[in-house]
Amino acid sequence: MTSAVTAHELTKSYPGHVTALDGLTLTVRAGEVFGLLGPNGAGKSTTVKILTTLARPDSGSATVAGHDVLRHPARVRRAIGVVAQRSGLDPMASGRDNLTLQGRLFGVRGHALTSRVDELLDRFDLAGAAGRNVRGWSGGMQRRLDVALALVHRPEVLFLDEPTTGLDPEVRTAMWSEIARLAADESMAILLTTHYLDEADRLAARLAIVDGGRIVAEGTPAQLKGELQGDAVHLELERPADEPQARQAIGTVARLREVSFDGRLLSARADDGAAAVPAALAALETAGVGVATVTVARPSLDDVYLRHAGRRFAA
Amino acid sequence: MTTLVSHTWWMTNRRLKVLVKQPAFVVILLIQPAIWLFLFGNLFRRVVELPGFGTTSYLDYLIPGVVVMTAVSSNMWAGMGMLEEIERGTMNRLLTTPVARGAIMNAAVLEQALSTTVQVLAIILLGQIAGADYPGGLLGLAVMTVAAVLLGTIFSAFSNTVGMLVRQRETIIGINTMLLLPLTFLSSAFMAESLMPSWMSTIASFNPVNWALDAARAAMNETPDWGMVLVRGSWLLGAAVLMLVLSVGTFRSYQKSV
């Protein structure tokens, strides 16, 4: 098996002519962490619902762990672990009971089950609270239990649908290291959806940007950022009135391209931003233009998103 | 098949564990039929003076009536539990596991069946304390309990079906409010069938509530009519199985709308 997940031309619309997916195609390779990045309503959750057999597409096909999601949903379910956007825990059951039942539904039983449950409770630092009803647990603990539940039967493919949405920054960081640890386990492929650019950048080996129900860009984070060719250089002028002189002076600097002005802010691109700055400053000084601040930034996924979806990323 | 049985077992176990953690709910479960027994028992005490009841104690006549009314009125809210599962996200979590779909519905119905049984036993006991006579003996009481559970299953499976299809509390509340009293009074729960207008008793013959009453009363008689018990009992069983199958079928439509 080379692909953990394949989706081909998936379409799905909801009553009222709401198009959720509009021909989405993607491939997740075995053992990799694949990020699906996009704003709310882009179609990420619908994709996960189809791949996890919860929903049926209007058209298109998909396989998970080698099984067709439409023809053999039962086989798919045995091979996957799912952490949904909304927690699916039984609030009135203890952590241990939640895990035990989940294991039983996957056919894990006897000693194998108890030792797996203990192992997961320890691993996710939940052993102390294991006997208490989940209802009283903190959001972070509940989220960790969600992940533990998805792992109880050692799935081949793990789906994490916005696993850190709604978590405190600290808890979020902790969850990130947890996911990174899971990713290191190379026998399992992970499909992660997120609307946090930094999350996708940090966790995903490859990612796809979804917008309007289709993939608009795909590649490793470095590749996607590399397509933008070069660093962003931002120069803030002291006086907005200097714009005409600044425009003329900066035109003489060969290393800068795609120059644009926005009030006092001059933005440009350069293959090596740091090396272009001295030349730009010298040219501006000769023209008598004062510069207040200089910033050089590596391209971010935000820039990638801007380029492919045609607008700033607003999560 | 063995998967369905074992999953039904674990899923029922899951629900019962929650039930025992809510003692207040169990108490309410028991108080409600007691109130009905008290209210109807006192209000209608003298109607047995009319011919057609075949008994001189209205309490004796009333016990099966309160039993079926309790079975209907508590089971018809089962769909609320389905809605809660959907809203909490537990439904979606379960549906991505290999759990047998039938087990989810079976467990919901079995939990109800168990609380119906407890309620019926409480009514039987209360009746005993108030001086009711059970000429049909233990066997008669057992038939009444089974009939109530089957009737309850029809309504809990129906309610689960509605819950899964419309996914709105208001619809369940509306349907229940609309159905409970007509279903109860279009039966021999509180009034002898021979005293009903003929069009009413015609409707009553299609009413599952009345089937349960026919079966219970036939078995609780001094000289039980086993033929009646068998016929009405099999109608109840058939309707219960049919509703249960329908409720399991709703997962298909859920998959389209989720």
Side-chain angles (χ1 to χ4, degrees):
Chain A
M1 191 186 72
T2 48
S3 302
V5 178
T6 64
H8 184 69
E9 292 289 317
L10 292 177
T11 67
K12 168 112 180 149
S13 51
Y14 288 108
H17 304 288
V18 182
T19 305
L21 292 183
D22 185 20
L24 182 136
T25 298
L26 64 80
T27 305
V28 179
R29 296 175 198 145
E32 79 173 345
V33 182
F34 185 89
L36 209 51
L37 173 69
N40 291 327
K44 305 186 299 291
S45 281
T46 307
T47 307
V48 171
K49 280 179 182 164
I50 290 172
L51 294 174
T52 57
T53 77
L54 261 184
R56 294 174 74 88
D58 297 339
S59 69
S61 61
T63 65
V64 174
H67 308 297
D68 190 304
V69 294
L70 290 173
R71 261 177 294 170
H72 301 293
R75 290 183 201 170
V76 171
R77 286 174 199 136
R78 275 194 288 273
I80 59 172
V82 185
V83 176
Q85 203 169 326
R86 239 175 359 155
S87 168
L89 302 171
D90 272 327
M92 288 293 286
S94 70
R96 183 179 295 278
D97 283 351
N98 266 289
L99 270 168
T100 307
L101 177 68
Q102 184 84 356
R104 284 195 170 116
L105 296 179
F106 278 97
V108 189
R109 43 192 100 248
H111 181 68
L113 180 60
T114 38
S115 63
R116 180 67 175 157
V117 166
D118 285 334
E119 179 193 333
L120 286 167
L121 286 170
D122 277 339
R123 171 169 176 185
F124 287 92
D125 198 17
L126 297 168
R132 294 209 316 266
N133 281 358
V134 164
R135 193 167 59 162
W137 288 20
S138 72
M141 287 166 72
Q142 294 193 0
R143 211 62 186 134
R144 296 208 298 279
L145 184 60
D146 276 323
V147 178
L149 240 60
L151 295 175
V152 73
H153 56 295
R154 303 176 201 276
E156 287 173 54
V157 184
L158 178 67
F159 291 88
L160 300 170
D161 193 5
E162 303 201 2
T164 66
T165 300
L167 295 182
D168 299 337
E170 289 161 52
V171 183
R172 214 175 130 208
T173 315
M175 186 57 83
W176 279 355
S177 15
E178 201 51 65
I179 296 169
R181 257 168 72 195
L182 293 174
D185 173 7
E186 284 177 15
S187 64
M188 183 169 66
I190 300 179
L191 194 157
L192 165 89
T193 81
T194 179
H195 62 227
Y196 295 121
L197 293 154
D198 46 351
E199 187 165 296
D201 201 3
R202 178 167 168 167
L203 295 173
R206 278 195 320 129
L207 60 91
I209 294 174
V210 205
D211 192 54
R214 42 193 312 134
I215 305 279
V216 291
E218 191 175 344
T220 66
Q223 267 170 3
L224 287 174
K225 287 184 280 191
E227 278 177 28
L228 288 175
Q229 292 181 344
D231 303 333
V233 178
H234 303 287
L235 294 152
E236 196 183 357
L237 307 184
E238 276 173 351
R239 296 173 299 274
D242 286 345
E243 192 199 312
Q245 295 97 298
R247 197 181 280 273
Q248 205 178 15
I250 215 79
T252 65
V253 182
R255 284 176 164 164
L256 292 178
R257 54 177 194 276
E258 297 175 47
V259 180
S260 66
F261 281 86
D262 182 10
R264 288 165 57 189
L265 190 70
L266 183 167
S267 301
R269 297 215 151 272
D271 288 332
D272 185 347
V277 168
L281 287 177
L284 289 170
E285 199 180 346
T286 315
V289 177
V291 175
T293 65
V294 181
T295 336
V296 177
R298 295 281 305 143
S300 69
L301 279 176
D302 197 16
D303 299 316
V304 178
Y305 187 82
L306 172 68
R307 173 162 158 183
H308 291 285
R311 57 179 190 275
R312 279 272 147 205
F313 191 92
Chain B
M1 194 62 195
T2 48
T3 312
L4 180 64
V5 173
S6 73
H7 284 187
T8 298
W9 168 257
W10 293 121
M11 294 297 284
T12 309
N13 183 301
R14 155 181 183 256
R15 284 175 163 268
L16 294 183
K17 274 189 171 169
V18 175
L19 194 66
V20 297
K21 284 181 188 172
Q22 296 170 297
F25 181 73
V26 178
V27 171
I28 292 169
L29 220 61
L30 297 178
I31 288 178
Q32 191 191 33
I35 293 175
W36 281 345
L37 206 58
F38 174 77
L39 278 182
F40 290 117
N42 282 284
L43 183 63
F44 295 141
R45 189 195 304 260
R46 295 193 56 206
V47 298
V48 277
E49 290 169 20
L50 297 166
F53 280 90
T55 169
T56 51
S57 151
Y58 186 63
L59 189 63
D60 288 5
Y61 186 81
L62 182 66
I63 300 276
V66 170
V67 162
V68 297
M69 189 175 179
T70 302
V72 173
S73 73
S74 40
N75 280 278
M76 68 190 346
W77 298 102
M80 291 292 192
M82 279 300 149
L83 284 185
E84 214 174 290
E85 296 258 33
I86 295 172
E87 284 164 8
R88 275 201 312 236
T90 41
M91 182 64 85
N92 280 1
R93 197 241 309 163
L94 289 169
L95 289 178
T96 59
T97 72
V99 68
R101 274 40 188 166
I104 297 177
M105 288 303 176
N106 287 349
V109 163
L110 280 172
E111 179 198 5
Q112 293 286 334
L114 192 83
S115 35
T116 304
T117 308
V118 172
Q119 284 182 307
V120 173
L121 294 180
I123 296 168
I124 292 172
L125 262 175
L126 278 172
Q128 178 94 43
I129 293 165
D133 236 2
Y134 301 123
L138 278 181
L139 193 56
L141 293 175
V143 169
M144 174 171 74
T145 309
V146 172
V149 165
L150 287 176
L151 179 70
T153 302
I154 297 173
F155 283 93
S156 57
F158 170 71
S159 184
N160 291 338
T161 305
V162 174
M164 287 292 290
L165 290 181
V166 300
R167 289 195 258 155
Q168 260 185 341
R169 284 170 205 282
E170 291 76 8
T171 310
I172 295 181
I173 296 171
I175 289 178
N176 290 0
T177 322
M178 190 179 76
L179 281 183
L180 179 63
L181 289 182
L183 279 173
T184 311
F185 285 98
L186 284 170
S187 78
S188 66
F190 303 120
M191 186 58 70
E193 215 171 322
S194 57
L195 296 174
M196 285 183 195
S198 69
W199 63 269
M200 259 196 191
S201 64
T202 308
I203 297 178
S205 64
F206 293 100
N207 182 356
V209 178
N210 209 41
W211 303 345
L213 283 164
D214 282 350
R217 291 198 204 288
M220 289 168 77
N221 213 302
E222 224 164 333
T223 48
D225 177 354
W226 294 115
M228 175 71 102
V229 172
L230 208 65
V231 171
R232 296 296 191 266
S234 44
W235 290 2
L236 285 170
L237 182 65
V241 170
L242 188 72
M243 277 318 308
L244 198 54
V245 170
L246 272 181
S247 72
V248 177
T250 58
F251 285 117
R252 286 213 148 269
S253 84
Y254 181 78
Q255 210 182 22
K256 283 192 193 109
S257 61
V258 73

